[in-house]
Amino acid sequence: MHCLLGSIAILSLFSYVKSQDPTPLPVRARADVTSGEARLFSGEDVTLSCSVPDHPETEWKFLWFRNGVPLSVQTQNLSLKNIPVQKGGNYSCRGEKDIDIWPYSLMTMTSEPLAVHVDGGWTLLQIPTEPLLIEEKMTLTCRIRGDPLLVEVIFYKDSVEVQKRKDKDLVIPRLVLKDEGLYRCRATWVQSTEHHSAQSLSAYLPVLDKLNTPVLELDFDYCSLKGDKVVLSCKTQLNVREEGLSIEYFFLKNGKRQGPGSSSATFTIFNVEDDDGGDYSCKARVRALNLERHSESVKLEVCNFPED
């Protein structure tokens, strides 16, 4: 009896301590460029910084990784000075801190990788570090090592000439989805009275829709048996700078809406009958932005096996 009471007391204490966890996990760290550029020439400097956006307490300790391999640096800022080509790669970080109660230490999830491209050539195309959204402004910069006198720059997208100019910047004031692609530039310049020309390496520029086209998925491979439960999932993603926006989901059968919209991305048919068969689709809507996207239809078939 005493052992049982002791076990209950320990379990109660364990549950209480867990409930006092001051930082709900998972929390993901974030790696950013705070000085310099993520695409730079060899010999230049760049500084990366690690943060925990949801919990910016100063007691965090930070660990850095390059291509998944731990680095010896354990400070919030990672300074890469006079960087050689070999130091390019995907940099990520993780936050850790000690606490006084269980589990006595907290660890964030590792940040998304931050690509640092170090170019050993003469011409470099700089693109935005993060993906851009439709309707946003984009600037691409064709840099020349040492910034000599520029004569001409030609920009290419998917190997097709886009623009020829005497300016190092290509500006697209309002992006559309078809602006996504592989960009490069060729620069001509004068140095010591001689003309020189060089081409940059290609860089991929992603352009995101504000609301991805949803995909409707059913939780079975072929057909559903009568009486089964079927779950339909409407999968999409909201890509916006604003905070606090939500997605409203609608499910349709043969073009007719099945009930009101809701915040749930799933629709469940609990006891499938023959008349539940049909073509299903879903719609995702963000009222605040007047945005909506429709999925392709998926056929729900109800199987009827012959009785013995």
Side-chain angles (χ1 to χ4, degrees):
M1 183 68 176
H2 290 295
C3 292
L4 177 59
L5 290 174
S7 298
I8 293 173
I10 291 172
L11 289 172
S12 298
L13 177 62
F14 182 76
S15 300
Y16 170 77
V17 171
K18 286 194 69 174
S19 70
Q20 302 305 303
D21 184 349
T23 307
L25 295 180
V27 175
R28 187 178 295 280
R30 179 183 173 91
D32 293 291
V33 176
T34 54
S35 177
E37 299 287 344
R39 295 179 65 87
L40 71 165
F41 285 118
S42 57
E44 295 183 329
D45 302 338
V46 62
T47 300
L48 311 182
S49 181
C50 189
S51 61
V52 184
D54 296 332
H55 301 272
E57 294 93 343
T58 56
E59 63 266 24
W60 287 103
K61 297 179 292 186
F62 297 94
L63 301 175
W64 283 95
F65 306 84
R66 176 176 167 270
N67 298 331
V69 178
L71 302 176
S72 57
V73 179
Q74 295 188 0
T75 56
Q76 183 172 12
N77 295 325
L78 175 62
S79 295
L80 304 170
K81 296 187 177 297
N82 195 28
I83 189 170
V85 172
Q86 296 83 354
K87 291 297 183 181
N90 291 319
Y91 285 81
S92 55
C93 65
R94 187 174 68 210
E96 296 181 1
K97 70 174 180 178
D98 297 328
I99 58 175
D100 295 331
I101 56 178
W102 187 93
Y104 304 111
S105 68
L106 290 176
M107 182 183 300
T108 70
M109 292 189 293
T110 303
S111 69
E112 296 292 341
L114 176 61
V116 176
H117 171 76
V118 185
D119 201 298
W122 286 94
T123 305
L124 168 68
L125 181 65
Q126 286 187 337
I127 65 172
T129 303
E130 295 185 347
L132 296 175
L133 306 178
I134 59 170
E135 302 177 0
E136 290 185 330
K137 178 180 178 181
M138 177 192 74
T139 301
L140 303 182
T141 301
C142 190
R143 288 188 57 202
I144 307 170
R145 187 184 290 270
D147 294 322
L149 179 62
L150 183 64
V151 175
E152 181 183 75
V153 173
I154 304 175
F155 290 92
Y156 300 87
K157 175 183 176 287
D158 300 328
S159 299
V160 177
E161 182 178 323
V162 174
Q163 197 172 115
K164 182 185 296 185
R165 55 193 297 119
K166 294 185 178 181
D167 192 306
K168 63 182 180 179
D169 292 332
L170 171 64
V171 179
I172 299 178
R174 190 178 176 86
L175 285 169
V176 294
L177 289 176
K178 68 179 182 179
D179 290 320
E180 177 172 291
L182 204 60
Y183 288 80
R184 58 183 170 88
C185 66
R186 174 175 288 278
T188 303
W189 68 94
V190 175
Q191 194 168 23
S192 302
T193 70
E194 293 184 354
H195 280 70
H196 302 268
S197 182
Q199 181 173 274
S200 74
L201 294 175
S202 296
Y204 188 76
L205 179 77
V207 179
L208 302 180
D209 197 352
K210 291 184 178 180
L211 180 62
N212 291 357
T213 299
V215 175
L216 182 64
E217 295 183 355
L218 279 64
D219 64 343
F220 59 85
D221 295 327
Y222 176 59
C223 64
S224 176
L225 293 174
K226 290 179 64 174
D228 280 356
K229 181 177 78 171
V230 174
V231 179
L232 293 79
S233 301
C234 189
K235 297 189 175 181
T236 184
Q237 181 171 311
L238 183 61
N239 308 303
V240 292
R241 310 293 181 193
E242 301 92 333
E243 296 182 356
L245 297 179
S246 61
I247 302 175
E248 189 176 12
Y249 297 91
F250 300 85
F251 291 85
L252 302 92
K253 174 192 170 187
N254 299 329
K256 294 183 179 180
R257 203 162 75 183
Q258 305 296 292
S262 73
S263 59
S264 175
T266 61
F267 177 76
T268 303
I269 304 173
F270 288 97
N271 292 287
V272 172
E273 299 293 341
D274 286 332
D275 59 3
D276 288 318
D279 293 324
Y280 285 81
S281 61
C282 68
K283 178 176 73 174
R285 180 166 70 184
V286 182
R287 289 180 180 268
L289 299 178
N290 196 27
L291 282 176
E292 65 178 43
R293 300 287 185 268
H294 296 256
S295 75
E296 297 288 336
S297 62
V298 177
K299 182 175 290 294
L300 170 59
E301 297 185 9
V302 181
C303 297
N304 290 288
F305 293 107
E307 298 181 359
D308 295 335

